[in-house]
Amino acid sequence: MSRADELVAVLETVESLAIVCHDNPDPDCLASALALEAIATDHDVEEVTIAYGGEISHQQNRALVNMLDISLQPVEDTAVDDYDCIGFVDHSQPGANTELSTEIEPGIVVDHHPGESVGAPFEDVRTRIGATATIFVEYLCELEIELTTRLASALLFALHRERLDFVREPTRREYEAALAVYPHADLETLEQLYSSAFSPGTLDAIGKAIASRERRGSSLVASVGKTTETDALPQAADYLLNLEGVDTVLVYGVVDGSIRLSARSIDPRIHIGETLQTAFDDLGQVGGHHDMAGGRIELGLFADEADDTDALLEFVDGRLTRRFFDALNLDDIQ
């Protein structure tokens, strides 16, 4: 039995499904949720809800939701326990990068990020695949489910934003998946998604990161300060990675009472996910891939060190920067 058939075997036993995205879902997560919804609907699951935590603040992600009319609801307003089955897409750990309790037991997990097994009835976690959307394209093709223009456009955009646009360690499977959905996608829609405008908050956050950057050797750390734009962090990291001579970047900022981290590296000697774990694993939830990673640290760990936000940020700046450079074995002289 193929993995697609195993997924269907689980879906055929339920009447309702809550698909849970990770907090601040990106195109890979959103497109994967749409794909799982399509598979569930095709196999007579009567009620399917897509839920998410955090915010959809990246301008392209907001445009994706609006232009493709993706129906979402906040996870805090979703009684997930009332559903026959809970599905996790593009993440696997309850309580990690999601507002759901650690006590939640998903029935379906599809992901490409490293992490411990949660023992779900259906679990397909492939860390050697570059995008969760790639796995879902495989399912859709094997199950011969019709690719609507809406779904194909979402999946093609996800494959590009997750891997192909950056040539950031894509596997051959991402190119094959893109080729499979390309004939069904609306390229004008993708063009409009790429031309989505920055919000003023995102532009301000990226500007702060540029101004605050501290460099040692080919590595760089920058802060966006306090912001409501969670997705400004990875955008700032991608932007700063274009700086001449820089191959490794960490960007952090205070978002909704916690410190968010976003890191990138194009140095083949560095596994940036493991680097973040070395630097910050004792402080919060961190991890990721060889080339991209992120995490969250509760601000309460530092809150007693200062009386106001500016002083707190100054204290945090020094601690996080030092820990990151230490994890890379970079001293003050470099």
Side-chain angles (χ1 to χ4, degrees):
M1 183 181 291
S2 70
R3 299 316 310 271
D5 289 331
E6 292 175 8
L7 172 59
V8 167
V10 172
L11 291 172
E12 287 179 339
T13 67
V14 304
E15 294 183 356
S16 60
L17 170 67
I19 301 171
V20 179
C21 298
H22 57 65
D23 288 354
N24 315 304
D26 58 4
D28 191 26
C29 187
L30 293 168
S32 296
L34 275 182
L36 181 54
E37 178 186 47
I39 296 169
T41 301
D42 192 71
H43 289 85
D44 302 321
V45 178
E46 294 181 3
E47 181 183 1
V48 182
T49 298
I50 302 175
Y52 73 100
E55 298 180 350
I56 300 176
S57 58
H58 191 298
Q59 69 278 359
Q60 290 180 342
N61 300 349
R62 288 197 301 266
L64 178 67
V65 170
N66 293 331
M67 292 181 65
L68 298 185
D69 194 23
I70 302 176
S71 179
L72 302 169
Q73 67 183 42
V75 71
E76 62 189 23
D77 298 333
T78 308
V80 295
D81 287 331
D82 292 345
Y83 290 79
D84 295 337
C85 183
I86 300 170
F88 284 4
V89 291
D90 204 35
H91 67 114
S92 62
Q93 306 297 314
N97 200 20
T98 174
E99 295 179 7
L100 287 182
S101 165
T102 56
E103 303 301 317
I104 291 293
E105 297 181 359
I108 294 170
V109 172
V110 184
D111 191 15
H112 74 114
H113 298 96
E116 295 183 6
S117 169
V118 295
F122 178 82
E123 192 169 320
D124 191 358
V125 179
R126 307 186 205 176
T127 58
R128 294 187 178 182
I129 294 292
T132 302
T134 305
I135 302 172
F136 275 103
V137 172
E138 175 188 300
Y139 295 161
L140 292 163
C141 292
E142 288 186 6
L143 298 171
E144 298 182 349
I145 293 176
E146 180 183 0
L147 274 171
T148 63
T149 299
R150 172 174 176 260
L151 179 55
S153 299
L155 289 166
L156 184 57
F157 185 65
L159 291 164
H160 273 276
R161 293 305 299 159
E162 187 73 5
R163 291 287 158 180
L164 301 183
D165 283 352
F166 306 101
V167 197
R168 183 182 286 143
E169 294 194 352
T171 70
R172 187 179 72 176
R173 301 289 295 280
E174 274 70 66
Y175 290 103
E176 292 173 343
L179 185 61
V181 299
Y182 173 84
H184 308 279
D186 183 350
L187 299 187
E188 289 186 6
T189 296
L190 267 66
E191 184 177 355
Q192 292 179 56
L193 290 173
Y194 274 104
S195 62
S196 301
F198 281 113
S199 71
T202 295
L203 203 59
D204 287 344
I206 293 174
K208 289 179 182 177
I210 294 171
S212 69
R213 68 189 187 277
E214 179 176 341
R215 179 174 173 178
R216 292 188 194 172
S218 60
S219 298
L220 184 150
V221 177
S223 169
V224 300
K226 187 175 182 180
T227 181
T228 60
E229 305 287 332
T230 306
D231 287 306
L233 276 73
Q235 291 183 84
D238 285 329
Y239 187 84
L240 289 170
L241 201 58
N242 292 315
L243 187 63
E244 184 178 4
V246 169
D247 56 34
T248 302
V249 172
L250 170 69
V251 173
Y252 62 90
V254 175
V255 184
D256 293 332
S258 64
I259 301 166
R260 297 299 181 100
L261 309 169
S262 184
R264 301 285 187 268
S265 182
I266 55 174
D267 186 338
R269 300 168 299 176
I270 293 174
H271 189 299
I272 196 63
E274 293 178 357
T275 298
L276 289 197
Q277 288 179 330
T278 299
F280 308 117
D281 195 45
D282 61 325
L283 298 180
Q285 300 168 346
V286 294
H289 296 284
H290 183 279
D291 56 340
M292 58 194 303
R296 178 173 59 191
I297 300 170
E298 294 307 318
L299 201 56
L301 291 170
F302 301 98
D304 294 336
E305 303 293 337
D307 297 327
D308 58 65
T309 301
D310 290 340
L312 179 59
L313 280 170
E314 185 176 350
F315 177 79
V316 168
D317 289 345
R319 289 285 300 276
L320 296 187
T321 299
R322 185 174 66 253
R323 277 175 169 259
F324 184 66
F325 285 145
D326 285 349
L328 292 170
N329 295 314
L330 297 173
D331 57 37
D332 294 332
I333 298 175
Q334 292 182 289

